[in-house]
Amino acid sequence: MDGFSQPPGSGGTVDKGQIMDQVKTQIALANAQELLQKMTDKCFKKCITKPGTSLASSEQKCVEMCMDRYMEAWNVVSKAYNAKLQMERNRLT
């Protein structure tokens, strides 16, 4: 089931608000997955010089700091982007 099917007996009516909420949730999930994947790739390439069965303490610390910085940068960009969107919405209304 795709999550967008109409419930039995709905008579063909679709709650557009509910569908929009589902779409927004799916987009947020996809964005979170993409963020995690990019962060993992970048920090692995930066910090893990000799892959093995375990991480050296310096590699662990590097990955931790890299992920923290990546999240901080993402949050700054996200806040600036959202502020810009809000300004545009206010300008259009």
Side-chain angles (χ1 to χ4, degrees), residues 1-26:
M1 191 154 131
D2 61 8
F4 297 109
S5 298
Q6 296 175 11
S10 67
T13 61
V14 177
D15 183 358
K16 291 181 183 179
Q18 186 178 17
I19 290 174
M20 287 302 294
D21 288 345
Q22 290 174 341
V23 169
K24 288 177 184 178
T25 299
Q26 290 297 319

Side-chain angles (χ1 to χ4, degrees), residues 66-82:
C66 177
M67 293 180 102
D68 286 347
R69 297 301 84 75
Y70 198 93
M71 286 301 299
E72 286 175 13
W74 188 85
N75 285 332
V76 166
V77 170
S78 179
K79 285 179 184 177
Y81 178 73
N82 287 331

Side-chain angles (χ1 to χ4, degrees), residues 37-92:
Q37 185 63 47
K38 284 182 178 181
M39 186 170 52
T40 300
D41 290 346
K42 290 183 183 297
C43 292
F44 183 88
K45 287 176 185 174
K46 178 181 180 357
C47 298
I48 313 301
T49 56
K50 295 180 183 178
T53 58
S54 63
L55 296 176
S57 62
S58 60
E59 292 172 327
Q60 288 176 0
K61 185 68 174 171
C62 179
V63 168
E64 181 181 319
M65 291 179 68
C66 177
M67 293 180 102
D68 286 347
R69 297 301 84 75
Y70 198 93
M71 286 301 299
E72 286 175 13
W74 188 85
N75 285 332
V76 166
V77 170
S78 179
K79 285 179 184 177
Y81 178 73
N82 287 331
K84 179 76 171 172
L85 283 177
Q86 190 62 42
M87 284 175 43
E88 287 295 319
R89 284 187 193 128
N90 291 341
R91 189 177 65 83
L92 295 173

Side-chain angles (χ1 to χ4, degrees), residues 28-40:
L29 179 60
N31 286 338
Q33 289 172 331
E34 182 181 7
L35 172 64
L36 184 59
Q37 185 63 47
K38 284 182 178 181
M39 186 170 52
T40 300

